[in-house]
Amino acid sequence: MYDKNNIFAKILRKEIPCDKVYEDEFSLFFYDISPQAKIHILGIPKFTCSTFSDFIKNAENKNIISFFKSVQFVINKLNIEKDGYRIITNSGEDGGQEVPHFHVHILAGEKIGRLR
Ligand code: 5GP
């Protein structure tokens, strides 16, 4: 069950501000409030979905394709493709997801350490 009062739903409704990097019909990208790397951006689809699997199973293909094309657009915009980056999505309790609206983290700007 999707929680309409999660922080990212509020950001999408413009009830809470964000430091926007890119926005279009299908998605919004903004800086993480508590960055874990020199560059730390969050990307969220505007589609109502709580996890990656929820998004892939329930959104229309045009929505899914547009979202992931936008991830690459942001990578180009920030000029991080050459040096590299890490894309992460946390899902559910074991994945350590805190905000229950599907999002990707784009981490870059320095060497990102190993998870383990
Ligand atoms: P998760 O653990 O769910 O994958 O990641 C949630 C992310 O959202 C965290 O990195 C956290 O710092 C970020 N975050 C939480 N609240 C806000 C907020 O109000 N604004 C922004 N820009 N990021 C937030």
Side-chain angles (χ1 to χ4, degrees), residues 7-8 11 16-19 30-36 40 42 89-91 95-101 103 105:
I7 295 274
F8 295 168
I11 287 176
I16 292 178
C18 70
D19 188 1
F30 52 95
Y31 286 98
D32 196 293
I33 206 166
S34 174
Q36 304 299 307
H40 187 171
L42 298 168
T89 184
N90 299 320
S91 182
Q97 183 177 8
E98 284 170 11
V99 180
H101 181 107
H103 52 281
H105 298 253

PDB file of all heavy atoms in Angstrom, residues 7-8 11 16-19 30-36 40 42 89-91 95-101 103 105, ligand 1:
ATOM      1  N   ILE A   7       7.887  11.479   2.180  1.00  0.00           N
ATOM      2  CA  ILE A   7       8.589  12.742   1.857  1.00  0.00           C
ATOM      3  C   ILE A   7       8.650  13.003   0.347  1.00  0.00           C
ATOM      4  O   ILE A   7       8.461  14.141  -0.095  1.00  0.00           O
ATOM      5  CB  ILE A   7      10.044  12.686   2.413  1.00  0.00           C
ATOM      6  CG1 ILE A   7      10.034  12.619   3.946  1.00  0.00           C
ATOM      7  CG2 ILE A   7      10.884  13.841   1.917  1.00  0.00           C
ATOM      8  CD1 ILE A   7       9.968  13.962   4.617  1.00  0.00           C
ATOM      9  N   PHE A   8       8.909  11.957  -0.442  1.00  0.00           N
ATOM     10  CA  PHE A   8       9.062  12.198  -1.881  1.00  0.00           C
ATOM     11  C   PHE A   8       7.713  12.501  -2.540  1.00  0.00           C
ATOM     12  O   PHE A   8       7.663  13.271  -3.507  1.00  0.00           O
ATOM     13  CB  PHE A   8       9.764  11.013  -2.560  1.00  0.00           C
ATOM     14  CG  PHE A   8      11.187  10.812  -2.103  1.00  0.00           C
ATOM     15  CD1 PHE A   8      11.882   9.661  -2.428  1.00  0.00           C
ATOM     16  CD2 PHE A   8      11.839  11.781  -1.357  1.00  0.00           C
ATOM     17  CE1 PHE A   8      13.204   9.473  -2.006  1.00  0.00           C
ATOM     18  CE2 PHE A   8      13.155  11.611  -0.922  1.00  0.00           C
ATOM     19  CZ  PHE A   8      13.831  10.452  -1.253  1.00  0.00           C
ATOM     20  N   ILE A  11       7.392  16.073  -1.934  1.00  0.00           N
ATOM     21  CA  ILE A  11       8.256  16.841  -2.854  1.00  0.00           C
ATOM     22  C   ILE A  11       7.596  16.903  -4.233  1.00  0.00           C
ATOM     23  O   ILE A  11       7.548  17.961  -4.867  1.00  0.00           O
ATOM     24  CB  ILE A  11       9.674  16.222  -2.910  1.00  0.00           C
ATOM     25  CG1 ILE A  11      10.414  16.543  -1.597  1.00  0.00           C
ATOM     26  CG2 ILE A  11      10.454  16.721  -4.123  1.00  0.00           C
ATOM     27  CD1 ILE A  11      11.783  15.910  -1.466  1.00  0.00           C
ATOM     28  N   ILE A  16       6.997  20.274  -0.184  1.00  0.00           N
ATOM     29  CA  ILE A  16       8.330  20.406   0.405  1.00  0.00           C
ATOM     30  C   ILE A  16       9.272  20.767  -0.740  1.00  0.00           C
ATOM     31  O   ILE A  16       9.176  20.178  -1.821  1.00  0.00           O
ATOM     32  CB  ILE A  16       8.763  19.064   1.054  1.00  0.00           C
ATOM     33  CG1 ILE A  16       7.899  18.787   2.271  1.00  0.00           C
ATOM     34  CG2 ILE A  16      10.234  19.064   1.427  1.00  0.00           C
ATOM     35  CD1 ILE A  16       8.235  17.463   2.936  1.00  0.00           C
ATOM     36  N   PRO A  17      10.179  21.731  -0.516  1.00  0.00           N
ATOM     37  CA  PRO A  17      11.086  22.109  -1.614  1.00  0.00           C
ATOM     38  C   PRO A  17      12.192  21.081  -1.823  1.00  0.00           C
ATOM     39  O   PRO A  17      12.467  20.257  -0.944  1.00  0.00           O
ATOM     40  CB  PRO A  17      11.691  23.433  -1.118  1.00  0.00           C
ATOM     41  CG  PRO A  17      11.588  23.371   0.359  1.00  0.00           C
ATOM     42  CD  PRO A  17      10.398  22.515   0.698  1.00  0.00           C
ATOM     43  N   CYS A  18      12.809  21.132  -2.995  1.00  0.00           N
ATOM     44  CA  CYS A  18      13.985  20.300  -3.247  1.00  0.00           C
ATOM     45  C   CYS A  18      14.923  21.099  -4.134  1.00  0.00           C
ATOM     46  O   CYS A  18      14.513  22.057  -4.786  1.00  0.00           O
ATOM     47  CB  CYS A  18      13.595  18.973  -3.902  1.00  0.00           C
ATOM     48  SG  CYS A  18      13.031  19.149  -5.608  1.00  0.00           S
ATOM     49  N   ASP A  19      16.183  20.688  -4.131  1.00  0.00           N
ATOM     50  CA  ASP A  19      17.194  21.324  -4.973  1.00  0.00           C
ATOM     51  C   ASP A  19      17.223  20.544  -6.290  1.00  0.00           C
ATOM     52  O   ASP A  19      17.916  19.535  -6.434  1.00  0.00           O
ATOM     53  CB  ASP A  19      18.546  21.271  -4.229  1.00  0.00           C
ATOM     54  CG  ASP A  19      19.614  22.081  -4.933  1.00  0.00           C
ATOM     55  OD1 ASP A  19      19.312  22.689  -5.979  1.00  0.00           O
ATOM     56  OD2 ASP A  19      20.754  22.090  -4.434  1.00  0.00           O
ATOM     57  N   PHE A  30      16.777  15.391  -7.946  1.00  0.00           N
ATOM     58  CA  PHE A  30      17.164  16.460  -7.020  1.00  0.00           C
ATOM     59  C   PHE A  30      18.285  15.966  -6.107  1.00  0.00           C
ATOM     60  O   PHE A  30      18.508  14.757  -5.958  1.00  0.00           O
ATOM     61  CB  PHE A  30      15.957  16.913  -6.191  1.00  0.00           C
ATOM     62  CG  PHE A  30      15.207  15.803  -5.504  1.00  0.00           C
ATOM     63  CD1 PHE A  30      15.494  15.469  -4.176  1.00  0.00           C
ATOM     64  CD2 PHE A  30      14.239  15.069  -6.173  1.00  0.00           C
ATOM     65  CE1 PHE A  30      14.814  14.442  -3.528  1.00  0.00           C
ATOM     66  CE2 PHE A  30      13.560  14.023  -5.540  1.00  0.00           C
ATOM     67  CZ  PHE A  30      13.844  13.715  -4.226  1.00  0.00           C
ATOM     68  N   TYR A  31      18.977  16.920  -5.473  1.00  0.00           N
ATOM     69  CA  TYR A  31      20.099  16.562  -4.593  1.00  0.00           C
ATOM     70  C   TYR A  31      19.593  15.968  -3.289  1.00  0.00           C
ATOM     71  O   TYR A  31      18.604  16.450  -2.713  1.00  0.00           O
ATOM     72  CB  TYR A  31      20.964  17.792  -4.312  1.00  0.00           C
ATOM     73  CG  TYR A  31      21.816  18.171  -5.508  1.00  0.00           C
ATOM     74  CD1 TYR A  31      21.409  19.173  -6.380  1.00  0.00           C
ATOM     75  CD2 TYR A  31      23.005  17.500  -5.765  1.00  0.00           C
ATOM     76  CE1 TYR A  31      22.180  19.507  -7.486  1.00  0.00           C
ATOM     77  CE2 TYR A  31      23.778  17.822  -6.880  1.00  0.00           C
ATOM     78  CZ  TYR A  31      23.358  18.819  -7.727  1.00  0.00           C
ATOM     79  OH  TYR A  31      24.111  19.139  -8.826  1.00  0.00           O
ATOM     80  N   ASP A  32      20.296  14.923  -2.825  1.00  0.00           N
ATOM     81  CA  ASP A  32      19.981  14.311  -1.537  1.00  0.00           C
ATOM     82  C   ASP A  32      20.311  15.305  -0.423  1.00  0.00           C
ATOM     83  O   ASP A  32      21.329  15.981  -0.447  1.00  0.00           O
ATOM     84  CB  ASP A  32      20.801  13.018  -1.358  1.00  0.00           C
ATOM     85  CG  ASP A  32      20.251  12.148  -0.241  1.00  0.00           C
ATOM     86  OD1 ASP A  32      20.318  12.563   0.939  1.00  0.00           O
ATOM     87  OD2 ASP A  32      19.757  11.043  -0.550  1.00  0.00           O
ATOM     88  N   ILE A  33      19.427  15.365   0.566  1.00  0.00           N
ATOM     89  CA  ILE A  33      19.586  16.315   1.676  1.00  0.00           C
ATOM     90  C   ILE A  33      20.776  15.942   2.563  1.00  0.00           C
ATOM     91  O   ILE A  33      21.340  16.789   3.259  1.00  0.00           O
ATOM     92  CB  ILE A  33      18.267  16.391   2.485  1.00  0.00           C
ATOM     93  CG1 ILE A  33      18.139  17.714   3.192  1.00  0.00           C
ATOM     94  CG2 ILE A  33      18.126  15.229   3.444  1.00  0.00           C
ATOM     95  CD1 ILE A  33      16.728  17.989   3.717  1.00  0.00           C
ATOM     96  N   SER A  34      21.177  14.690   2.529  1.00  0.00           N
ATOM     97  CA  SER A  34      22.268  14.212   3.379  1.00  0.00           C
ATOM     98  C   SER A  34      23.262  13.413   2.516  1.00  0.00           C
ATOM     99  O   SER A  34      23.301  12.179   2.559  1.00  0.00           O
ATOM    100  CB  SER A  34      21.672  13.352   4.496  1.00  0.00           C
ATOM    101  OG  SER A  34      22.661  12.759   5.247  1.00  0.00           O
ATOM    102  N   PRO A  35      24.061  14.142   1.691  1.00  0.00           N
ATOM    103  CA  PRO A  35      24.861  13.471   0.659  1.00  0.00           C
ATOM    104  C   PRO A  35      25.889  12.488   1.205  1.00  0.00           C
ATOM    105  O   PRO A  35      26.583  12.781   2.178  1.00  0.00           O
ATOM    106  CB  PRO A  35      25.549  14.638  -0.065  1.00  0.00           C
ATOM    107  CG  PRO A  35      25.398  15.826   0.810  1.00  0.00           C
ATOM    108  CD  PRO A  35      24.219  15.601   1.679  1.00  0.00           C
ATOM    109  N   GLN A  36      25.980  11.336   0.557  1.00  0.00           N
ATOM    110  CA  GLN A  36      26.943  10.294   0.926  1.00  0.00           C
ATOM    111  C   GLN A  36      28.148  10.284  -0.011  1.00  0.00           C
ATOM    112  O   GLN A  36      28.993   9.404   0.068  1.00  0.00           O
ATOM    113  CB  GLN A  36      26.260   8.916   0.898  1.00  0.00           C
ATOM    114  CG  GLN A  36      25.035   8.806   1.781  1.00  0.00           C
ATOM    115  CD  GLN A  36      25.369   9.038   3.253  1.00  0.00           C
ATOM    116  OE1 GLN A  36      26.256   8.407   3.798  1.00  0.00           O
ATOM    117  NE2 GLN A  36      24.656   9.972   3.882  1.00  0.00           N
ATOM    118  N   HIS A  40      25.516  13.522  -4.980  1.00  0.00           N
ATOM    119  CA  HIS A  40      24.513  12.527  -4.553  1.00  0.00           C
ATOM    120  C   HIS A  40      23.133  13.045  -4.950  1.00  0.00           C
ATOM    121  O   HIS A  40      22.589  13.975  -4.350  1.00  0.00           O
ATOM    122  CB  HIS A  40      24.590  12.311  -3.024  1.00  0.00           C
ATOM    123  CG  HIS A  40      23.707  11.199  -2.545  1.00  0.00           C
ATOM    124  ND1 HIS A  40      23.754  10.711  -1.261  1.00  0.00           N
ATOM    125  CD2 HIS A  40      22.739  10.468  -3.162  1.00  0.00           C
ATOM    126  CE1 HIS A  40      22.877   9.733  -1.104  1.00  0.00           C
ATOM    127  NE2 HIS A  40      22.236   9.583  -2.247  1.00  0.00           N
ATOM    128  N   LEU A  42      19.097  12.097  -6.182  1.00  0.00           N
ATOM    129  CA  LEU A  42      17.994  11.130  -6.132  1.00  0.00           C
ATOM    130  C   LEU A  42      17.128  11.332  -7.366  1.00  0.00           C
ATOM    131  O   LEU A  42      16.867  12.478  -7.761  1.00  0.00           O
ATOM    132  CB  LEU A  42      17.139  11.361  -4.881  1.00  0.00           C
ATOM    133  CG  LEU A  42      17.861  11.190  -3.548  1.00  0.00           C
ATOM    134  CD1 LEU A  42      16.992  11.720  -2.407  1.00  0.00           C
ATOM    135  CD2 LEU A  42      18.218   9.729  -3.308  1.00  0.00           C
ATOM    136  N   THR A  89      19.452   1.367  -5.852  1.00  0.00           N
ATOM    137  CA  THR A  89      18.099   1.519  -5.337  1.00  0.00           C
ATOM    138  C   THR A  89      17.925   0.567  -4.158  1.00  0.00           C
ATOM    139  O   THR A  89      18.287  -0.608  -4.235  1.00  0.00           O
ATOM    140  CB  THR A  89      17.017   1.297  -6.420  1.00  0.00           C
ATOM    141  OG1 THR A  89      15.743   1.568  -5.842  1.00  0.00           O
ATOM    142  CG2 THR A  89      17.021  -0.110  -6.984  1.00  0.00           C
ATOM    143  N   ASN A  90      17.468   1.090  -3.056  1.00  0.00           N
ATOM    144  CA  ASN A  90      17.193   0.288  -1.871  1.00  0.00           C
ATOM    145  C   ASN A  90      15.726  -0.106  -1.906  1.00  0.00           C
ATOM    146  O   ASN A  90      14.865   0.722  -2.216  1.00  0.00           O
ATOM    147  CB  ASN A  90      17.482   1.098  -0.606  1.00  0.00           C
ATOM    148  CG  ASN A  90      18.933   1.535  -0.528  1.00  0.00           C
ATOM    149  OD1 ASN A  90      19.826   0.777  -0.868  1.00  0.00           O
ATOM    150  ND2 ASN A  90      19.164   2.763  -0.091  1.00  0.00           N
ATOM    151  N   SER A  91      15.452  -1.370  -1.593  1.00  0.00           N
ATOM    152  CA  SER A  91      14.057  -1.822  -1.638  1.00  0.00           C
ATOM    153  C   SER A  91      13.704  -2.606  -0.377  1.00  0.00           C
ATOM    154  O   SER A  91      14.380  -3.574  -0.027  1.00  0.00           O
ATOM    155  CB  SER A  91      13.857  -2.696  -2.880  1.00  0.00           C
ATOM    156  OG  SER A  91      12.498  -3.102  -2.947  1.00  0.00           O
ATOM    157  N   GLY A  95      16.635  -4.250   2.140  1.00  0.00           N
ATOM    158  CA  GLY A  95      17.385  -3.339   1.280  1.00  0.00           C
ATOM    159  C   GLY A  95      17.706  -2.015   1.946  1.00  0.00           C
ATOM    160  O   GLY A  95      18.442  -1.201   1.392  1.00  0.00           O
ATOM    161  N   GLY A  96      17.111  -1.766   3.108  1.00  0.00           N
ATOM    162  CA  GLY A  96      17.398  -0.537   3.847  1.00  0.00           C
ATOM    163  C   GLY A  96      16.686   0.687   3.313  1.00  0.00           C
ATOM    164  O   GLY A  96      17.151   1.812   3.476  1.00  0.00           O
ATOM    165  N   GLN A  97      15.540   0.478   2.667  1.00  0.00           N
ATOM    166  CA  GLN A  97      14.797   1.611   2.115  1.00  0.00           C
ATOM    167  C   GLN A  97      14.128   2.411   3.232  1.00  0.00           C
ATOM    168  O   GLN A  97      13.442   1.846   4.076  1.00  0.00           O
ATOM    169  CB  GLN A  97      13.724   1.096   1.141  1.00  0.00           C
ATOM    170  CG  GLN A  97      12.945   2.206   0.455  1.00  0.00           C
ATOM    171  CD  GLN A  97      11.937   1.657  -0.560  1.00  0.00           C
ATOM    172  OE1 GLN A  97      11.713   0.439  -0.643  1.00  0.00           O
ATOM    173  NE2 GLN A  97      11.345   2.548  -1.322  1.00  0.00           N
ATOM    174  N   GLU A  98      14.365   3.739   3.216  1.00  0.00           N
ATOM    175  CA  GLU A  98      13.750   4.598   4.238  1.00  0.00           C
ATOM    176  C   GLU A  98      12.521   5.319   3.715  1.00  0.00           C
ATOM    177  O   GLU A  98      11.544   5.477   4.431  1.00  0.00           O
ATOM    178  CB  GLU A  98      14.773   5.616   4.747  1.00  0.00           C
ATOM    179  CG  GLU A  98      15.792   4.990   5.693  1.00  0.00           C
ATOM    180  CD  GLU A  98      16.944   5.931   6.014  1.00  0.00           C
ATOM    181  OE1 GLU A  98      16.853   7.130   5.683  1.00  0.00           O
ATOM    182  OE2 GLU A  98      17.929   5.435   6.572  1.00  0.00           O
ATOM    183  N   VAL A  99      12.610   5.784   2.476  1.00  0.00           N
ATOM    184  CA  VAL A  99      11.477   6.536   1.915  1.00  0.00           C
ATOM    185  C   VAL A  99      10.722   5.624   0.933  1.00  0.00           C
ATOM    186  O   VAL A  99      11.293   5.169  -0.068  1.00  0.00           O
ATOM    187  CB  VAL A  99      11.962   7.813   1.198  1.00  0.00           C
ATOM    188  CG1 VAL A  99      10.773   8.582   0.623  1.00  0.00           C
ATOM    189  CG2 VAL A  99      12.764   8.695   2.154  1.00  0.00           C
ATOM    190  N   PRO A 100       9.445   5.347   1.219  1.00  0.00           N
ATOM    191  CA  PRO A 100       8.716   4.345   0.421  1.00  0.00           C
ATOM    192  C   PRO A 100       8.095   4.873  -0.877  1.00  0.00           C
ATOM    193  O   PRO A 100       6.919   4.660  -1.160  1.00  0.00           O
ATOM    194  CB  PRO A 100       7.648   3.845   1.398  1.00  0.00           C
ATOM    195  CG  PRO A 100       7.365   5.017   2.266  1.00  0.00           C
ATOM    196  CD  PRO A 100       8.649   5.791   2.382  1.00  0.00           C
ATOM    197  N   HIS A 101       8.908   5.628  -1.641  1.00  0.00           N
ATOM    198  CA  HIS A 101       8.567   5.951  -3.037  1.00  0.00           C
ATOM    199  C   HIS A 101       9.809   5.554  -3.821  1.00  0.00           C
ATOM    200  O   HIS A 101      10.903   6.056  -3.522  1.00  0.00           O
ATOM    201  CB  HIS A 101       8.267   7.445  -3.193  1.00  0.00           C
ATOM    202  CG  HIS A 101       7.884   7.835  -4.595  1.00  0.00           C
ATOM    203  ND1 HIS A 101       6.588   8.167  -4.953  1.00  0.00           N
ATOM    204  CD2 HIS A 101       8.624   7.911  -5.732  1.00  0.00           C
ATOM    205  CE1 HIS A 101       6.559   8.441  -6.253  1.00  0.00           C
ATOM    206  NE2 HIS A 101       7.783   8.295  -6.752  1.00  0.00           N
ATOM    207  N   HIS A 103      13.040   5.150  -5.735  1.00  0.00           N
ATOM    208  CA  HIS A 103      14.024   6.160  -6.152  1.00  0.00           C
ATOM    209  C   HIS A 103      15.356   5.487  -6.441  1.00  0.00           C
ATOM    210  O   HIS A 103      15.661   4.434  -5.892  1.00  0.00           O
ATOM    211  CB  HIS A 103      14.210   7.230  -5.071  1.00  0.00           C
ATOM    212  CG  HIS A 103      14.511   6.681  -3.709  1.00  0.00           C
ATOM    213  ND1 HIS A 103      13.522   6.169  -2.891  1.00  0.00           N
ATOM    214  CD2 HIS A 103      15.667   6.541  -3.027  1.00  0.00           C
ATOM    215  CE1 HIS A 103      14.068   5.751  -1.764  1.00  0.00           C
ATOM    216  NE2 HIS A 103      15.370   5.950  -1.813  1.00  0.00           N
ATOM    217  N   HIS A 105      19.531   6.293  -6.304  1.00  0.00           N
ATOM    218  CA  HIS A 105      20.597   7.186  -5.851  1.00  0.00           C
ATOM    219  C   HIS A 105      21.647   7.198  -6.955  1.00  0.00           C
ATOM    220  O   HIS A 105      22.049   6.133  -7.444  1.00  0.00           O
ATOM    221  CB  HIS A 105      21.270   6.646  -4.593  1.00  0.00           C
ATOM    222  CG  HIS A 105      20.369   6.506  -3.401  1.00  0.00           C
ATOM    223  ND1 HIS A 105      20.442   7.357  -2.316  1.00  0.00           N
ATOM    224  CD2 HIS A 105      19.399   5.610  -3.108  1.00  0.00           C
ATOM    225  CE1 HIS A 105      19.552   6.977  -1.402  1.00  0.00           C
ATOM    226  NE2 HIS A 105      18.900   5.921  -1.856  1.00  0.00           N
TER     227      HIS A 105
HETATM  228  P1  5GP B   1      16.581   5.320   1.016  1.00  0.00           P
HETATM  229  O1  5GP B   1      17.270   4.903   2.274  1.00  0.00           O
HETATM  230  O2  5GP B   1      15.082   5.279   1.147  1.00  0.00           O
HETATM  231  O3  5GP B   1      17.092   4.581  -0.180  1.00  0.00           O
HETATM  232  O4  5GP B   1      17.038   6.800   0.760  1.00  0.00           O
HETATM  233  C1  5GP B   1      16.295   7.922   1.128  1.00  0.00           C
HETATM  234  C2  5GP B   1      17.174   9.126   0.882  1.00  0.00           C
HETATM  235  O5  5GP B   1      16.356  10.279   0.937  1.00  0.00           O
HETATM  236  C3  5GP B   1      18.287   9.322   1.924  1.00  0.00           C
HETATM  237  O6  5GP B   1      19.547   9.323   1.269  1.00  0.00           O
HETATM  238  C4  5GP B   1      17.959  10.664   2.566  1.00  0.00           C
HETATM  239  O7  5GP B   1      19.105  11.428   2.855  1.00  0.00           O
HETATM  240  C5  5GP B   1      17.088  11.327   1.513  1.00  0.00           C
HETATM  241  N1  5GP B   1      16.108  12.268   2.036  1.00  0.00           N
HETATM  242  C6  5GP B   1      15.272  12.059   3.089  1.00  0.00           C
HETATM  243  N2  5GP B   1      14.479  13.123   3.274  1.00  0.00           N
HETATM  244  C7  5GP B   1      14.816  14.017   2.299  1.00  0.00           C
HETATM  245  C8  5GP B   1      14.321  15.316   1.967  1.00  0.00           C
HETATM  246  O8  5GP B   1      13.419  15.875   2.584  1.00  0.00           O
HETATM  247  N3  5GP B   1      14.900  15.931   0.899  1.00  0.00           N
HETATM  248  C9  5GP B   1      15.925  15.352   0.175  1.00  0.00           C
HETATM  249  N4  5GP B   1      16.402  16.036  -0.843  1.00  0.00           N
HETATM  250  N5  5GP B   1      16.387  14.116   0.463  1.00  0.00           N
HETATM  251  C10 5GP B   1      15.841  13.467   1.513  1.00  0.00           C
END
